[in-house]
Each structure stands twice: as structure tokens, then as C-alpha cells.
Amino acid sequence: MEVVDDIVIVGAGIAGLATALGLHRMGLRSLVLESSESLRITGHALATWTNAWKALDALGIGDNIRQQHVQIQGVVYASVATGLTISETSFMGRGKCGDHEIRCVKRKLLIEVLENELPRGTIRFGSKVVSIEERETLKLVYLADGSVLKTKVLIGCDGVNSVVAKWLGLQRPVFAGRSAIRGAAELPEGHGLKPKLFQYFGDGFRSGFAPCDDKTVYWFFAFSPPSHEKDGEHNDPAKMKQFVLSKLHKAPKEVTDVLEKTELDAFISSPLRYRLPWNVLWGHTWKGTVCVAGDAFHPMTPDLGQGGCSALEDAVTLARCLGEALLGEPREEAEYDRIKRGVEKYAKERRWRGCELIATAYVSGVIQQSGWVVRNLLRNNFLAGLMAGMLLKKADFDCGKLYGP
């Protein structure tokens, strides 16, 4: 007897697991294919803004994660050159979607919470997708181990190098001309930082520090590598550490202490990539009953802290659209046509949001990381407060509930 999975999700990252959980909450079963042999828990932490908490609450895991992370109360912008504070903005106000809520969430914890909420057997590890074939209303998913899965719905949550996005015909993400070094420091004695996001600007670089809890601080350092440097050349942890410290030597001692106490194996360097906004608007982000979500859909630079947040929005929206298609009132319309309509509704609803976030993040990064003297002057004297307001504005968004209003 032929076995057909109703919904197959490629990738067990934030987008993939959140989509599977959203579908589970709707009463729909899915199978998540993960190429690695265990959960991918690298990446240290991610900013979760108000829109992410709306999505996490819709998935039913918001309170579990809240209680393990401090709330970020504001952002402080400072110049490394002068050591002076440029601007400070509170995050404790209220927007159109309710109170602002920002926390720096440990990625490992979020991934584990998502996994624990899923039925046993939802994730199939060691399942690397190598190709996809369309056969009438079904999709055939070929795996590296030689097995073949058949599914009614295929969702690509497999990141910037997505196999599903490639099959759809989406153009590959492009290099933003910048790279980022990231890390997290575990300080058993406590870090002593206030519950704020601290950002430091220098000549052609930007760095940020945010506490996750009383003992953990996540940090990043974004810079423009020299044109002669090979992509990803910064891969020696000891050299990364010295490089970042050399640029931030005028930062407050509590900040440099965090860097000094970050273990070498916690340093991660990667080039920043994004999908061109018009590819999201007019590219093939869905076809029939196949679509993409998260970084496979709209990879963006990290300048708004919205990569993981928008992936959670995708998950809730997609689960709701598929739920409406598969669990709604019985209709004469064929199941394939209902699924196709649900997938199309999701993709069209999310493309404008994705395009807006990609473009805003890119422009924001260019302004904040500029090495041009005039632009630095404008940023330091006029734009810092506006950028803080923009962070809140883009996060003031509600993707809605799984079960309707």
C-alpha cells in the first residue's frame, strides 16, 4: 500500500519546528526532515521582539520561554570613538498591538521547547533532501539514503541554501558586503549588566550586547571585511577574539569583560546574506502545494533582529492557512485545490511583510555600520533615536491566532 505523508517540512530549525507545532495545535500531523543526526542548537541567541511573542503565544509556548529570560527595557547607543552615549530609548511603552516586549532568547532553549511540544516521531533525523520531483498532485522527496517520500504538501524551512527554494526557482541569497562575529558568555558569578540592549558604533563596524538572563550575555560584532579578504576568512576563534577586542577597546569595562570571558568555542563568524526584496515580491515563493518559510523564504541581514521573529510569524500564518484549507467546512472543491489555495494565501500574505523587513534591515545596517564621516555625524547626532523607534515600529505586528480571532 502506498504511504503518503500529508505534510512534509524540510529543516528542523526555528521555522520548521514552529510550523510543525502550529500544525499540531491545529490538529494536523506533519513530518519534519532534518539532515543532521540531532537538533541543530548552534547560534547562541536571538532577539525576540513583540511580534515574536505574539507568535509564541499563539503556539502556546510564550510563558514557558518568558520565565527563563529577562525583559530588555531599552536600548543604549554609544560611540566607541568617544566613549559617550549617543542616545537612549525605552522599550517599556505600548504600541498598536499592545505592550512592547523584547527579550534575548537562547536558541538552544527555544529549539528544545519546540521539540518537546511535538508528538514523538515528528522529526526524522539524518534525512538530507537531495532532490524533489512533482508527480501529478504529489511531491516525491528523494533523500541521500536512497529513500523516497511522497507528500501532499512540501514546506521548505531549510535556510539560505534551501533545496526547496532552489526547486521553486528562487534566486540564491546575495552577499551583503558585511560579516558578523557572534558569541555568548556564560558568567556563573553574574554579568552585572542592566537589562538593556547596548549598541556601540565605530568606523565601519557595529556591535551589540544583550543579557539573556542573569548569567548569560549574547553579543555580536558586524563589520565590512576588506575586499581582498576571502569570504569567511575570519574563522580562527583566537584571531576573532583579538580582532573584536581591538575594535572595542574603548568600550566600558563590563562590556570588554564579557568578550574576555567568552570561551573560544563560542565564537562564530559568518557572512551576511539576504534575498533581494523584488525576488520575494515577484519570485516563485510557492508553486502548487509547495512553499518556503523563514530564511528559505526571506533571509535578511540581522540589523532589525527580525530573522527569527519573522520565521515565527511565517509558522503561525502557514499553519492557520493550511488548517483553514484542510479542516474547514466540507466543500465540493478537491483537496489538492484547497491546499493549493491555502499555500497561495500564505505566500501572498507574507511576501509584503518579508520584502519590507529585508529592505529596512539592509538600509538600517548600511546607516548604522557606515564608515563615511558625514553619515557617521548624522547617525550619531540625529538618527540613533529614530533607529530605535524603527526597531519598535517593525516589531509592532501581530500575525494573528491559529484558531482565528
Side-chain angles (χ1 to χ4, degrees), residues 120 287 316 326 333:
R120 184 178 298 274
K287 178 183 177 184
V316 172
L326 291 168
E333 188 179 17

Side-chain angles (χ1 to χ4, degrees), residues 245-298:
L245 282 169
S246 70
K247 296 293 185 180
L248 294 175
H249 65 281
K250 290 187 178 180
K253 186 176 185 301
E254 58 265 29
V255 167
T256 55
D257 281 349
V258 168
L259 289 170
E260 290 281 9
K261 294 176 182 178
T262 301
E263 298 292 337
L264 289 181
D265 60 4
F267 281 75
I268 300 173
S269 178
S270 59
L272 301 181
R273 303 186 186 280
Y274 69 105
R275 196 179 302 287
L276 296 172
W278 45 89
N279 290 162
V280 173
L281 275 184
W282 299 301
H284 300 290
T285 56
W286 87 95
K287 178 183 177 184
T289 59
V290 180
C291 64
V292 284
D295 281 347
F297 188 174
H298 41 62

Side-chain angles (χ1 to χ4, degrees), residues 145-310:
D145 62 8
S147 59
V148 182
L149 303 178
K150 296 181 179 180
T151 182
K152 298 176 183 177
V153 186
L154 180 61
I155 304 169
C157 299
D158 44 344
V160 293
N161 297 313
S162 170
V163 174
V164 180
K166 182 179 179 180
W167 182 85
L168 286 169
L170 276 172
Q171 294 183 19
R172 290 177 60 85
V174 299
F175 179 47
R178 299 183 289 139
S179 295
I181 298 173
R182 300 176 175 91
E186 299 288 343
L187 307 168
E189 72 282 5
H191 51 69
L193 293 177
K194 294 180 180 179
K196 295 182 179 182
L197 169 61
F198 298 89
Q199 291 209 38
Y200 298 94
F201 298 109
D203 185 11
F205 69 85
R206 180 172 66 96
S207 187
F209 294 75
C212 298
D213 51 35
D214 292 337
K215 298 180 180 180
T216 308
V217 179
Y218 169 70
W219 58 265
F220 69 86
F221 182 88
F223 64 103
S224 299
S227 57
H228 59 79
E229 181 181 290
K230 294 180 180 179
D231 194 12
E233 188 172 303
H234 280 84
N235 54 14
D236 182 322
K239 290 182 179 179
M240 284 189 238
K241 188 171 188 174
Q242 290 306 312
F243 174 65
V244 176
L245 282 169
S246 70
K247 296 293 185 180
L248 294 175
H249 65 281
K250 290 187 178 180
K253 186 176 185 301
E254 58 265 29
V255 167
T256 55
D257 281 349
V258 168
L259 289 170
E260 290 281 9
K261 294 176 182 178
T262 301
E263 298 292 337
L264 289 181
D265 60 4
F267 281 75
I268 300 173
S269 178
S270 59
L272 301 181
R273 303 186 186 280
Y274 69 105
R275 196 179 302 287
L276 296 172
W278 45 89
N279 290 162
V280 173
L281 275 184
W282 299 301
H284 300 290
T285 56
W286 87 95
K287 178 183 177 184
T289 59
V290 180
C291 64
V292 284
D295 281 347
F297 188 174
H298 41 62
M300 64 190 73
T301 60
D303 304 287
L304 294 179
Q306 281 293 329
C309 301
S310 57

